[in-house]
């Protein structure tokens, strides 16, 4: 199930999308520093893939270090791969929504169709 956020009459949700059939991006990480606080994050997907149901396991780790104190948060959950064509068909069948745009990674200027290897499909829908 994708996360959904309602903003006015628009609905926004995100979904992992394989960047390639033969060699998809499976993990990435980043870190941020603010003063004495350092936060590191890592995310990985496509663990234990079931190709029939399109279900896989995602793993996320957040580590925060501040003033010598380290805290780690780990999460793992099942997710389902949703392909753009599948999502478009579902929206059309439901009939209550129309596509406004899909973008890559919460970057409104970077539309999915012009993204080279999108990893995160963000879809904006409007209620009809």
């Amino acid at each position: 199930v994708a996360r959904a956020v309602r903003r006015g009459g628009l609905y926004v949700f995100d979904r992992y999308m394989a960047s390639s059939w033969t060699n998809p991006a499976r993990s990435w990480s980043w870190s941020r520093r603010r003063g004495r606080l350092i936060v590191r994050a890592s995310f990985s997907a496509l663990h234990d893939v079931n190709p029939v149901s399109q279900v896989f396991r995602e793993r996320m780790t957040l580590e925060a270090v501040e003033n010598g104190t380290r805290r780690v948060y780990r999460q793992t959950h099942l997710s389902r791969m949703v392909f753009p064509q599948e999502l478009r068909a579902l929206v059309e069948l439901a009939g209550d929504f129309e596509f406004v745009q899909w973008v890559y990674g919460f970057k409104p200027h970077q539309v999915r169709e012009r993204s080279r290897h999108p990893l995160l499909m963000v879809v904006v829908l409007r209620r009809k």
Side-chain angles (χ1 to χ4, degrees):
V1 176
R3 294 173 287 181
V5 177
R6 182 170 185 245
R7 295 284 184 237
L10 299 177
Y11 295 80
V12 177
F13 64 96
D14 68 324
R15 176 75 10 242
Y16 172 81
M17 184 167 60
S19 56
S20 162
W21 280 105
T22 56
N23 187 23
R26 297 175 183 271
S27 66
W28 48 99
S29 61
W30 61 96
S31 65
R32 298 287 184 267
R33 180 184 200 114
R34 182 176 291 169
R36 294 183 171 190
L37 173 65
I38 300 170
V39 177
R40 294 180 189 97
S42 63
F43 177 82
S44 61
L46 300 180
H47 301 279
D48 309 319
V49 176
N50 180 325
V52 176
S53 65
Q54 297 171 220
V55 172
F56 59 93
R57 188 165 299 282
E58 294 179 340
R59 296 181 184 141
M60 183 178 67
T61 302
L62 291 173
E63 176 188 17
V65 180
E66 185 173 32
N67 298 326
T69 301
R70 179 178 178 259
R71 293 193 175 107
V72 178
Y73 169 78
R74 289 185 176 86
Q75 175 182 334
T76 181
H77 63 273
L78 293 177
S79 191
R80 184 176 179 277
M81 180 69 67
V82 178
F83 294 94
Q85 302 87 341
E86 177 183 17
L87 182 60
R88 185 175 289 278
L90 290 170
V91 170
E92 288 175 12
L93 286 171
D96 293 338
F97 297 94
E98 63 182 344
F99 275 100
V100 174
Q101 184 63 266
W102 32 21
V103 297
Y104 165 50
F106 295 101
K107 299 173 184 173
H109 65 281
Q110 193 169 357
V111 296
R112 186 195 62 83
E113 292 84 358
R114 291 193 308 258
S115 298
R116 294 183 55 144
H117 295 292
L119 296 173
L120 184 66
M121 176 174 58
V122 178
V123 181
V124 180
L125 303 174
R126 178 182 296 125
R127 185 176 288 281
K128 288 184 177 179

